[in-house]
Amino acid sequence: MELKISDGIVRGVRGADAPMTELAIRARTIANLLPLLCTRAGAKIVHNSDRNYTGIRFETKAVGPVVLEMPMSEEPYRLVQEFIEPDEAGRMEVELRRFPQIYRPQGVAHITAEFLRSNGFLR
């Protein structure tokens, strides 16, 4: 399932309504290669125009969901934990990890799944 967030409104998108940008296609490719552990964690593709990213969102056992943000141009992939409420410092997100674009989609899926599993985000 894919979600589209615009002006604070979350909508599910399917089929012809789903964006067909390069980032969306890359996110779908990586999501299809994720192991079962990530799929069971409720991995969803998110197109967030409010925060200007496309990524894969994992519902975790931690404080908030973790998002693998697709890189724009030469930027690296980012794993970001989003908070439901701001923390003591007023932050809404914390960057957990960055990795370069040198990996194929299979490698990105593997790195993401292993990071989430080994750090206790997925059970």
Side-chain angles (χ1 to χ4, degrees):
M1 176 176 207
E2 295 190 28
L3 302 174
K4 186 172 186 176
I5 302 171
S6 179
D7 298 326
I9 299 171
V10 180
R11 293 185 178 98
V13 292
R14 293 182 188 259
D17 296 334
M20 291 303 292
T21 63
E22 179 187 342
L23 295 177
I25 292 168
R26 187 182 307 170
R28 287 185 199 105
T29 303
I30 294 169
N32 285 332
L33 296 168
L34 289 169
L36 181 61
L37 183 65
C38 293
T39 308
R40 286 193 330 215
K44 295 181 177 84
I45 297 171
V46 177
H47 310 282
N48 191 337
S49 60
D50 292 344
R51 290 192 175 174
N52 197 26
Y53 74 81
T54 296
I56 303 170
R57 179 182 173 130
F58 303 91
E59 299 299 331
T60 64
K61 306 288 184 196
V63 177
V66 174
V67 178
L68 171 65
E69 294 182 0
M70 299 297 116
M72 302 264 194
S73 65
E74 298 298 318
E75 297 174 6
Y77 288 95
R78 290 181 27 170
L79 269 172
V80 177
Q81 182 177 8
E82 294 182 343
F83 299 126
I84 295 159
E85 298 290 329
D87 65 354
E88 301 83 31
R91 298 177 299 178
M92 290 297 290
E93 66 181 25
V94 172
E95 185 175 294
L96 301 172
R97 178 149 191 216
R98 287 179 176 234
F99 46 95
Q101 293 188 41
I102 60 172
Y103 300 103
R104 292 183 178 190
Q106 296 92 337
V108 174
H110 178 72
I111 290 169
T112 302
E114 282 302 306
F115 179 84
L116 295 174
R117 185 193 61 77
S118 65
N119 288 300
F121 288 103
L122 303 177
R123 294 184 187 134

PDB file of all heavy atoms in Angstrom, residues 51 65-67 78-83 87 91-97:
ATOM      1  N   ARG A  51       6.882  17.316   3.855  1.00  0.00           N
ATOM      2  CA  ARG A  51       8.300  17.273   4.235  1.00  0.00           C
ATOM      3  C   ARG A  51       9.213  17.032   3.035  1.00  0.00           C
ATOM      4  O   ARG A  51      10.417  16.863   3.191  1.00  0.00           O
ATOM      5  CB  ARG A  51       8.539  16.186   5.278  1.00  0.00           C
ATOM      6  CG  ARG A  51       7.934  16.534   6.615  1.00  0.00           C
ATOM      7  CD  ARG A  51       8.435  15.585   7.655  1.00  0.00           C
ATOM      8  NE  ARG A  51       7.970  15.947   8.969  1.00  0.00           N
ATOM      9  CZ  ARG A  51       8.173  15.218  10.035  1.00  0.00           C
ATOM     10  NH1 ARG A  51       8.841  14.083   9.940  1.00  0.00           N
ATOM     11  NH2 ARG A  51       7.732  15.604  11.197  1.00  0.00           N
ATOM     12  N   PRO A  65       7.626   5.617  13.921  1.00  0.00           N
ATOM     13  CA  PRO A  65       8.009   4.873  12.724  1.00  0.00           C
ATOM     14  C   PRO A  65       9.396   5.272  12.227  1.00  0.00           C
ATOM     15  O   PRO A  65       9.887   6.362  12.509  1.00  0.00           O
ATOM     16  CB  PRO A  65       6.933   5.261  11.713  1.00  0.00           C
ATOM     17  CG  PRO A  65       6.437   6.572  12.170  1.00  0.00           C
ATOM     18  CD  PRO A  65       6.547   6.576  13.664  1.00  0.00           C
ATOM     19  N   VAL A  66      10.005   4.375  11.464  1.00  0.00           N
ATOM     20  CA  VAL A  66      11.298   4.636  10.830  1.00  0.00           C
ATOM     21  C   VAL A  66      11.055   4.724   9.331  1.00  0.00           C
ATOM     22  O   VAL A  66      10.328   3.912   8.764  1.00  0.00           O
ATOM     23  CB  VAL A  66      12.317   3.519  11.160  1.00  0.00           C
ATOM     24  CG1 VAL A  66      13.602   3.709  10.383  1.00  0.00           C
ATOM     25  CG2 VAL A  66      12.587   3.478  12.649  1.00  0.00           C
ATOM     26  N   VAL A  67      11.671   5.719   8.692  1.00  0.00           N
ATOM     27  CA  VAL A  67      11.479   5.947   7.258  1.00  0.00           C
ATOM     28  C   VAL A  67      12.826   5.861   6.549  1.00  0.00           C
ATOM     29  O   VAL A  67      13.803   6.486   6.974  1.00  0.00           O
ATOM     30  CB  VAL A  67      10.843   7.333   6.999  1.00  0.00           C
ATOM     31  CG1 VAL A  67      10.701   7.588   5.505  1.00  0.00           C
ATOM     32  CG2 VAL A  67       9.502   7.440   7.685  1.00  0.00           C
ATOM     33  N   ARG A  78      18.797   7.915   3.603  1.00  0.00           N
ATOM     34  CA  ARG A  78      18.732   8.249   5.034  1.00  0.00           C
ATOM     35  C   ARG A  78      17.692   7.371   5.720  1.00  0.00           C
ATOM     36  O   ARG A  78      16.590   7.194   5.208  1.00  0.00           O
ATOM     37  CB  ARG A  78      18.300   9.699   5.236  1.00  0.00           C
ATOM     38  CG  ARG A  78      19.287  10.716   4.844  1.00  0.00           C
ATOM     39  CD  ARG A  78      18.780  12.109   5.094  1.00  0.00           C
ATOM     40  NE  ARG A  78      17.804  12.151   6.179  1.00  0.00           N
ATOM     41  CZ  ARG A  78      17.334  13.236   6.730  1.00  0.00           C
ATOM     42  NH1 ARG A  78      17.729  14.402   6.316  1.00  0.00           N
ATOM     43  NH2 ARG A  78      16.446  13.187   7.699  1.00  0.00           N
ATOM     44  N   LEU A  79      18.057   6.833   6.881  1.00  0.00           N
ATOM     45  CA  LEU A  79      17.098   6.157   7.755  1.00  0.00           C
ATOM     46  C   LEU A  79      16.781   7.133   8.876  1.00  0.00           C
ATOM     47  O   LEU A  79      17.680   7.570   9.601  1.00  0.00           O
ATOM     48  CB  LEU A  79      17.689   4.879   8.347  1.00  0.00           C
ATOM     49  CG  LEU A  79      17.453   3.617   7.544  1.00  0.00           C
ATOM     50  CD1 LEU A  79      18.258   2.468   8.131  1.00  0.00           C
ATOM     51  CD2 LEU A  79      16.009   3.263   7.485  1.00  0.00           C
ATOM     52  N   VAL A  80      15.515   7.500   8.995  1.00  0.00           N
ATOM     53  CA  VAL A  80      15.092   8.531   9.936  1.00  0.00           C
ATOM     54  C   VAL A  80      13.980   7.979  10.815  1.00  0.00           C
ATOM     55  O   VAL A  80      13.040   7.364  10.325  1.00  0.00           O
ATOM     56  CB  VAL A  80      14.568   9.774   9.167  1.00  0.00           C
ATOM     57  CG1 VAL A  80      14.051  10.831  10.114  1.00  0.00           C
ATOM     58  CG2 VAL A  80      15.642  10.341   8.276  1.00  0.00           C
ATOM     59  N   GLN A  81      14.097   8.197  12.122  1.00  0.00           N
ATOM     60  CA  GLN A  81      13.021   7.841  13.042  1.00  0.00           C
ATOM     61  C   GLN A  81      12.167   9.083  13.272  1.00  0.00           C
ATOM     62  O   GLN A  81      12.667  10.127  13.690  1.00  0.00           O
ATOM     63  CB  GLN A  81      13.561   7.330  14.369  1.00  0.00           C
ATOM     64  CG  GLN A  81      12.451   6.913  15.311  1.00  0.00           C
ATOM     65  CD  GLN A  81      12.978   6.347  16.610  1.00  0.00           C
ATOM     66  OE1 GLN A  81      14.170   6.392  16.890  1.00  0.00           O
ATOM     67  NE2 GLN A  81      12.082   5.804  17.394  1.00  0.00           N
ATOM     68  N   GLU A  82      10.884   8.982  12.959  1.00  0.00           N
ATOM     69  CA  GLU A  82       9.962  10.093  13.165  1.00  0.00           C
ATOM     70  C   GLU A  82       9.272   9.923  14.510  1.00  0.00           C
ATOM     71  O   GLU A  82       8.899   8.817  14.886  1.00  0.00           O
ATOM     72  CB  GLU A  82       8.929  10.137  12.049  1.00  0.00           C
ATOM     73  CG  GLU A  82       9.510  10.455  10.695  1.00  0.00           C
ATOM     74  CD  GLU A  82       8.459  10.530   9.610  1.00  0.00           C
ATOM     75  OE1 GLU A  82       7.337  10.028   9.814  1.00  0.00           O
ATOM     76  OE2 GLU A  82       8.764  11.096   8.554  1.00  0.00           O
ATOM     77  N   PHE A  83       9.088  11.024  15.218  1.00  0.00           N
ATOM     78  CA  PHE A  83       8.393  10.990  16.498  1.00  0.00           C
ATOM     79  C   PHE A  83       6.953  11.454  16.314  1.00  0.00           C
ATOM     80  O   PHE A  83       6.670  12.330  15.495  1.00  0.00           O
ATOM     81  CB  PHE A  83       9.083  11.897  17.520  1.00  0.00           C
ATOM     82  CG  PHE A  83      10.496  11.496  17.815  1.00  0.00           C
ATOM     83  CD1 PHE A  83      11.521  12.401  17.699  1.00  0.00           C
ATOM     84  CD2 PHE A  83      10.801  10.208  18.212  1.00  0.00           C
ATOM     85  CE1 PHE A  83      12.831  12.053  17.973  1.00  0.00           C
ATOM     86  CE2 PHE A  83      12.106   9.838  18.483  1.00  0.00           C
ATOM     87  CZ  PHE A  83      13.115  10.766  18.367  1.00  0.00           C
ATOM     88  N   ASP A  87      10.252  15.601  20.937  1.00  0.00           N
ATOM     89  CA  ASP A  87      10.974  15.178  22.138  1.00  0.00           C
ATOM     90  C   ASP A  87      11.354  16.401  22.975  1.00  0.00           C
ATOM     91  O   ASP A  87      10.906  17.515  22.695  1.00  0.00           O
ATOM     92  CB  ASP A  87      12.194  14.331  21.770  1.00  0.00           C
ATOM     93  CG  ASP A  87      13.245  15.095  21.002  1.00  0.00           C
ATOM     94  OD1 ASP A  87      13.001  16.267  20.650  1.00  0.00           O
ATOM     95  OD2 ASP A  87      14.324  14.530  20.762  1.00  0.00           O
ATOM     96  N   ARG A  91      12.609  18.172  18.659  1.00  0.00           N
ATOM     97  CA  ARG A  91      12.819  17.527  17.351  1.00  0.00           C
ATOM     98  C   ARG A  91      11.639  16.614  17.013  1.00  0.00           C
ATOM     99  O   ARG A  91      11.064  15.983  17.886  1.00  0.00           O
ATOM    100  CB  ARG A  91      14.087  16.693  17.368  1.00  0.00           C
ATOM    101  CG  ARG A  91      15.329  17.495  17.617  1.00  0.00           C
ATOM    102  CD  ARG A  91      16.534  16.614  17.688  1.00  0.00           C
ATOM    103  NE  ARG A  91      16.363  15.668  18.793  1.00  0.00           N
ATOM    104  CZ  ARG A  91      17.222  14.729  19.120  1.00  0.00           C
ATOM    105  NH1 ARG A  91      18.318  14.586  18.432  1.00  0.00           N
ATOM    106  NH2 ARG A  91      17.003  13.924  20.137  1.00  0.00           N
ATOM    107  N   MET A  92      11.311  16.548  15.739  1.00  0.00           N
ATOM    108  CA  MET A  92      10.276  15.649  15.249  1.00  0.00           C
ATOM    109  C   MET A  92      10.853  14.414  14.587  1.00  0.00           C
ATOM    110  O   MET A  92      10.135  13.476  14.280  1.00  0.00           O
ATOM    111  CB  MET A  92       9.358  16.369  14.257  1.00  0.00           C
ATOM    112  CG  MET A  92       8.466  17.407  14.888  1.00  0.00           C
ATOM    113  SD  MET A  92       7.303  16.702  16.067  1.00  0.00           S
ATOM    114  CE  MET A  92       6.213  15.805  15.007  1.00  0.00           C
ATOM    115  N   GLU A  93      12.179  14.423  14.343  1.00  0.00           N
ATOM    116  CA  GLU A  93      12.823  13.280  13.717  1.00  0.00           C
ATOM    117  C   GLU A  93      14.296  13.220  14.129  1.00  0.00           C
ATOM    118  O   GLU A  93      14.880  14.227  14.501  1.00  0.00           O
ATOM    119  CB  GLU A  93      12.710  13.328  12.198  1.00  0.00           C
ATOM    120  CG  GLU A  93      13.470  14.467  11.553  1.00  0.00           C
ATOM    121  CD  GLU A  93      13.316  14.493  10.047  1.00  0.00           C
ATOM    122  OE1 GLU A  93      12.309  13.989   9.528  1.00  0.00           O
ATOM    123  OE2 GLU A  93      14.220  15.017   9.402  1.00  0.00           O
ATOM    124  N   VAL A  94      14.843  11.998  14.059  1.00  0.00           N
ATOM    125  CA  VAL A  94      16.257  11.780  14.351  1.00  0.00           C
ATOM    126  C   VAL A  94      16.824  10.913  13.239  1.00  0.00           C
ATOM    127  O   VAL A  94      16.258   9.872  12.900  1.00  0.00           O
ATOM    128  CB  VAL A  94      16.448  11.067  15.710  1.00  0.00           C
ATOM    129  CG1 VAL A  94      17.892  10.671  15.916  1.00  0.00           C
ATOM    130  CG2 VAL A  94      15.971  11.936  16.838  1.00  0.00           C
ATOM    131  N   GLU A  95      17.938  11.348  12.659  1.00  0.00           N
ATOM    132  CA  GLU A  95      18.586  10.549  11.622  1.00  0.00           C
ATOM    133  C   GLU A  95      19.349   9.419  12.282  1.00  0.00           C
ATOM    134  O   GLU A  95      20.192   9.637  13.141  1.00  0.00           O
ATOM    135  CB  GLU A  95      19.525  11.428  10.809  1.00  0.00           C
ATOM    136  CG  GLU A  95      20.138  10.693   9.644  1.00  0.00           C
ATOM    137  CD  GLU A  95      20.968  11.595   8.789  1.00  0.00           C
ATOM    138  OE1 GLU A  95      20.409  12.510   8.159  1.00  0.00           O
ATOM    139  OE2 GLU A  95      22.192  11.381   8.764  1.00  0.00           O
ATOM    140  N   LEU A  96      19.047   8.190  11.869  1.00  0.00           N
ATOM    141  CA  LEU A  96      19.686   7.012  12.443  1.00  0.00           C
ATOM    142  C   LEU A  96      20.923   6.596  11.667  1.00  0.00           C
ATOM    143  O   LEU A  96      21.917   6.164  12.245  1.00  0.00           O
ATOM    144  CB  LEU A  96      18.704   5.848  12.481  1.00  0.00           C
ATOM    145  CG  LEU A  96      17.413   6.075  13.274  1.00  0.00           C
ATOM    146  CD1 LEU A  96      16.460   4.926  13.060  1.00  0.00           C
ATOM    147  CD2 LEU A  96      17.729   6.262  14.739  1.00  0.00           C
ATOM    148  N   ARG A  97      20.838   6.684  10.345  1.00  0.00           N
ATOM    149  CA  ARG A  97      21.947   6.189   9.523  1.00  0.00           C
ATOM    150  C   ARG A  97      21.863   6.792   8.129  1.00  0.00           C
ATOM    151  O   ARG A  97      20.786   7.073   7.629  1.00  0.00           O
ATOM    152  CB  ARG A  97      21.873   4.677   9.431  1.00  0.00           C
ATOM    153  CG  ARG A  97      22.955   4.081   8.567  1.00  0.00           C
ATOM    154  CD  ARG A  97      23.357   2.732   9.004  1.00  0.00           C
ATOM    155  NE  ARG A  97      24.552   2.365   8.276  1.00  0.00           N
ATOM    156  CZ  ARG A  97      24.808   1.154   7.873  1.00  0.00           C
ATOM    157  NH1 ARG A  97      23.983   0.183   8.163  1.00  0.00           N
ATOM    158  NH2 ARG A  97      25.907   0.880   7.220  1.00  0.00           N
TER     159      ARG A  97
END
